[in-house]
């Protein structure tokens, strides 16, 4: 299992996150963001999210 982390929660990160749902050996593990921290926490309650 590959655990992925996203730095910056913008449009490209959102697309990458959706593509991970098709992966059999990858999962979204963490998100680091400055401006969209609350949005990311609301969308992903089970993911580690930190403000950069």
């Amino acid at each position: 299992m590959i655990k992925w982390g996203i730095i910056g929660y913008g449009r490209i990160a959102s697309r990458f996150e959706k593509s991970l749902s098709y992966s059999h050996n990858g999962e979204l593990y963490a998100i680091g963001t400055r401006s969209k921290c609350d949005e990311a926490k609301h969308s992903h309650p089970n993911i580690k999210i930190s403000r950069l």
Side-chain angles (χ1 to χ4, degrees), residues 6-26:
I6 295 175
I7 298 175
Y9 194 61
R11 184 180 306 147
I12 294 172
S14 178
R15 290 179 183 172
F16 178 73
E17 172 195 354
K18 289 177 186 175
S19 68
L20 277 177
S21 67
Y22 299 105
S23 173
H24 296 291
N25 61 352

Side-chain angles (χ1 to χ4, degrees), residues 9 17 31 37-47 49:
Y9 194 61
E17 172 195 354
I31 299 172
C37 193
D38 293 332
E39 178 183 333
K41 285 181 180 179
H42 179 59
S43 300
H44 306 290
N46 298 327
I47 304 296
I49 299 172

